[in-house]
Amino acid sequence: MMKRWLSHVTKILAAAAAGLALAGKATAQDLPELKIGLMATLSGPAAVYGKHMRDGFMLAVKQSNGALGGLPTNVLEVDDKLDPEYALEQATRLIEENGVDLIVGVNFSKVMLAVHDPIVRTKTLFIGTHSGPAPIAGRNCSRYFFSTALQDDQVHETMGRYASLKGYQQVVTIAPDYEAARDAVAAFRRHFKGQIARELFPKLGTTDFSEEFSQVEEIEPDAIYVFMPGGMGVELVKQFHTSGLKGLIPFLSANTVNAVTLPYTSEMAEGLYSAASWAANLDNPANKRFVREFARAYDYAPSVYAAQGYDAGKLIHFALELTGGIKDREALLSAISAAPFESVRGDFRFNSNQFPIQDFYLVEGVRRTSRLYEMEAIARVFDDVGDAYAGSCRM
């Protein structure tokens, strides 16, 4: 990985040489404070996702002794309350009143779509740690936005490809009845070469899936594909377990069975499949350290949301070490684009739209101990893949 960006980094170091020389003469008291606005959903039923992301990011800050890139780091946490209008107000306050150097975070697409354009218009550096809607990966991309996560479609595309590789001819899809969920099903279809036997869109907030499972039983597809995030997904997994279908019809999913929901579904999620760009069992030194130290620091197992937050912290840390500070914005942008860090995912680099080129895996819910369940990567489905929208990005 070092060889891939070495020449690029050499140019960055040359551009920042003067700043580094000055930094070498400075005392710790002379160093400017790095001010970061961290925006996440930290209240309500979806707060668990924001908590994982925040804890992952803050672990990276702790590992740098509270000084990312050697700069004393002040992280201002903002709860976006999963409310786009409120989130935009808070983002504006972070920039105009708090004077943050950069903003990190955002869990959900409706919040990201509300805050992305206003933030990047101010030329504030913005690093997304989960949500990646199509517009910001494509026609509305910005040189001031980087993602340490993925473009939203990619996990659904991964499961579509896996279903095709397995030779499934008929699949029933189940997703809530709202726009982003319909987009998820469309992304699954993009790589699935078989037939969608039926698309089922239960009402948002549904907790009884007996009607959906009755239709699945009637159709007898080769597999079902489920996009059912949050509490709806927990209920669906529980009811699938008791429906008599488990073990008969393969359960493929995205953002339904994961480390966040496993504590609530435990053995009921064993053997159910999902798609992800990260798993706790990925065999690389950075990931082993992350999993070990995250569990030690917070007393719970990390999820992909925590991994994405952690990578954002490491990205900032090593980019700042290259530039010697935050004053030269152009040098910092170049340093970040070089992705000068060891990702917990292993191979990682930025595409032309500044979203990652990375691997995607088939992951499965497995029992580690009588009380611990994890998502384990069992097969690589995509190797070094970018998203479908990078070609529409013009910076």
Side-chain angles (χ1 to χ4, degrees):
M1 189 173 191
M2 295 287 290
K3 292 180 180 178
R4 187 167 58 227
W5 50 265
L6 184 58
S7 62
H8 189 32
V9 169
T10 301
K11 294 177 183 178
I12 297 166
L13 289 171
L20 283 168
L22 290 172
K25 298 177 182 178
T27 67
Q29 292 179 336
D30 295 327
L31 292 173
E33 179 184 72
L34 175 65
K35 197 175 290 187
I36 297 175
L38 188 149
M39 179 173 286
T41 302
L42 297 170
S43 59
V48 63
Y49 300 101
K51 179 178 185 293
H52 275 246
M53 184 273 286
R54 178 198 63 197
D55 289 351
F57 183 80
M58 292 308 298
L59 177 62
V61 176
K62 290 175 184 177
Q63 289 177 350
S64 69
N65 297 315
L68 293 178
L71 302 180
T73 301
N74 180 13
V75 180
L76 306 176
E77 292 184 15
V78 170
D79 175 12
D80 61 39
K81 299 184 179 181
L82 198 48
D83 180 330
E85 276 190 34
Y86 180 78
L88 180 55
E89 292 173 5
Q90 296 307 304
T92 302
R93 183 170 292 122
L94 284 171
I95 295 167
E96 295 182 356
E97 296 181 17
N98 299 116
V100 296
D101 297 297
L102 60 141
I103 291 177
V104 171
V106 183
N107 302 106
F108 295 97
S109 293
K110 68 179 184 179
V111 173
M112 179 62 80
L113 288 170
V115 303
H116 172 269
D117 289 2
I119 290 173
V120 299
R121 275 200 297 266
T122 68
K123 297 185 179 180
T124 299
L125 181 58
F126 185 8
I127 298 178
T129 56
H130 185 67
S131 174
I136 69 173
R139 63 182 183 276
N140 291 342
C141 66
S142 168
R143 63 195 299 263
Y144 296 99
F145 179 86
F146 293 83
S147 172
T148 57
L150 72 173
Q151 196 281 315
D152 290 346
D153 290 5
Q154 289 183 282
V155 285
H156 311 292
E157 293 172 346
T158 300
M159 292 310 293
R161 177 174 170 81
Y162 173 73
S164 290
L165 291 172
K166 288 293 290 183
Y168 296 147
Q169 297 301 309
Q170 286 201 327
V171 171
V172 170
T173 65
I174 308 175
D177 190 9
Y178 67 96
E179 184 178 358
R182 291 181 179 273
D183 291 343
V185 172
F188 174 85
R189 286 200 307 265
R190 190 175 294 146
H191 284 271
F192 178 53
K193 300 186 184 305
Q195 177 185 1
I196 303 297
R198 189 168 299 172
E199 294 180 351
L200 302 177
F201 291 102
K203 185 178 179 181
L204 191 63
T206 295
T207 56
D208 180 0
F209 297 96
S210 56
E211 172 60 28
E212 284 72 26
F213 290 138
S214 175
Q215 293 188 55
V216 170
E217 190 172 13
E218 174 191 340
I219 296 168
E220 296 183 345
D222 296 319
I224 63 172
Y225 176 67
V226 175
F227 169 65
M228 198 67 65
M232 290 180 71
V234 170
E235 289 303 315
L236 185 142
V237 167
K238 289 179 178 179
Q239 291 169 42
F240 182 75
H241 183 75
T242 59
S243 68
L245 297 172
K246 188 176 181 181
L248 297 177
I249 297 178
F251 184 102
L252 314 180
S253 70
N255 298 333
T256 304
V257 181
N258 55 41
V260 171
T261 60
L262 276 177
Y264 305 98
T265 54
S266 56
E267 75 278 0
M268 293 175 282
E270 279 190 275
L272 304 188
Y273 296 132
S274 188
S277 59
W278 173 87
N281 68 316
L282 294 185
D283 189 13
N284 66 74
N287 194 48
K288 289 179 178 178
R289 181 190 181 195
F290 164 65
V291 172
R292 180 180 64 250
E293 296 192 10
F294 187 96
R296 183 183 299 157
Y298 301 112
D299 199 30
Y300 70 92
S303 68
V304 66
Y305 308 97
Q308 291 162 346
Y310 180 79
D311 269 357
K314 289 297 186 182
L315 172 66
I316 295 167
H317 175 69
F318 286 104
L320 286 171
E321 282 200 332
L322 284 175
T323 61
I326 56 177
K327 290 184 179 179
D328 189 334
R329 181 58 56 89
E330 293 302 315
L332 183 56
L333 288 170
S334 294
I336 289 174
S337 68
F341 75 112
E342 292 184 50
S343 170
V344 296
R345 284 162 272 191
D347 287 346
F348 179 106
R349 67 184 189 275
F350 285 115
N351 204 346
S352 57
N353 60 352
Q354 298 179 166
F355 275 72
I357 292 175
Q358 59 190 321
D359 298 342
F360 283 86
Y361 301 89
L362 179 74
V363 296
E364 179 183 8
V366 298
R367 185 198 300 257
R368 293 294 185 212
T369 69
S370 60
R371 298 196 311 171
L372 176 62
Y373 293 82
E374 289 183 343
M375 300 304 295
E376 179 178 286
I378 58 175
R380 183 186 283 109
V381 180
F382 281 118
D383 183 23
D384 283 345
V385 66
D387 63 84
Y389 302 95
S392 302
C393 172
R394 298 289 183 269
M395 290 191 191

